[in-house]
Amino acid sequence: SDQNSALEIQQACPLPSSDTQTKLRKGEILDVTVDSLSFGGDGVVRLEPDGFVVLIDAVIPGETVRVKVIKVKKTHAKAAVLERLKDSPLSTPVRCNHFAPTGCGGCRTQNLLYEQQLAEKHRQITHLFKSLVPDEGAIDEILGASNGRHFAYRNKMDYAFGDSVW
């Protein structure tokens, strides 16, 4: 959700001073490469020179996309993909017939290599614990599904109802 993403951004990226802060406007078009994933699964891009964060839905780390800024806040901006310019070296073919660029909600990162999904989860958990308990030791690696069964355990489904067509 926006609230969780905003909290993560505030913890990870303190506000730049107003004289160096990136000035984005709604409707602006940017070509960017995704750095990482937010806790909610949005792609995270940190703009030069100050690291201002732009969140993008339905992208994975390493992917280069052309986006349109749709919302600008003090701590971050949201953008929508207009065009995919370069695939991520971390991408993998999807297995779900319902997977779409916007995702159906059940498998947002299915196109990201499973090992990278685990690495992203580990990075997020480590970040959260370090911000809460900075003096504790390292976080153990996340144990993934074994023997290539990383599809067999998933059972979450999100349903959306409305007049819009995917």
Side-chain angles (χ1 to χ4, degrees):
S1 79
D2 277 352
Q3 188 174 16
N4 288 341
S5 296
L7 178 60
E8 179 187 36
I9 292 161
Q10 289 170 356
Q11 291 172 345
C13 308
L15 284 174
S17 65
S18 58
D19 58 329
T20 63
Q21 187 171 357
T22 300
K23 305 284 190 221
L24 284 182
R25 289 183 304 279
K26 185 176 177 180
E28 193 168 342
I29 307 295
L30 305 170
D31 289 352
V32 295
T33 300
V34 180
D35 299 324
S36 60
L37 295 177
S38 73
F39 186 71
D42 288 337
V44 176
V45 172
R46 289 174 178 83
L47 299 178
E48 296 292 333
D50 59 3
F52 188 78
V53 172
V54 178
L55 299 174
I56 308 165
D57 190 26
V59 292
I60 61 174
E63 189 172 9
T64 302
V65 291
R66 179 164 293 141
V67 298
K68 181 177 184 178
V69 177
I70 56 175
K71 186 186 295 184
V72 179
K73 296 186 174 189
K74 288 182 183 179
T75 58
H76 67 284
K78 291 280 283 180
V81 175
L82 296 176
E83 182 180 354
R84 295 177 190 281
L85 302 174
K86 182 179 175 192
D87 286 338
S88 170
L90 305 171
S91 67
T92 187
V94 297
R95 290 180 44 183
C96 176
N97 294 334
H98 304 286
F99 184 84
T102 56
C104 70
C107 53
R108 285 184 70 154
T109 58
Q110 188 180 140
N111 59 332
L112 181 62
L113 289 171
Y114 184 62
E115 295 77 20
Q116 189 63 31
Q117 291 178 36
L118 296 177
E120 284 291 327
K121 289 177 186 179
H122 184 267
R123 184 190 58 73
Q124 292 170 5
I125 297 298
T126 299
H127 172 76
L128 289 172
F129 274 97
K130 293 264 186 228
S131 65
L132 295 172
V133 189
D135 296 332
E136 289 300 312
I139 304 295
D140 292 341
E141 280 190 46
I142 294 177
L143 299 177
S146 59
N147 301 327
R149 295 184 47 86
H150 56 274
F151 286 98
Y153 75 93
R154 297 172 189 246
N155 60 6
K156 176 185 174 190
M157 295 169 40
D158 288 341
Y159 296 101
F161 298 94
D163 296 331
S164 298
V165 177
W166 285 88

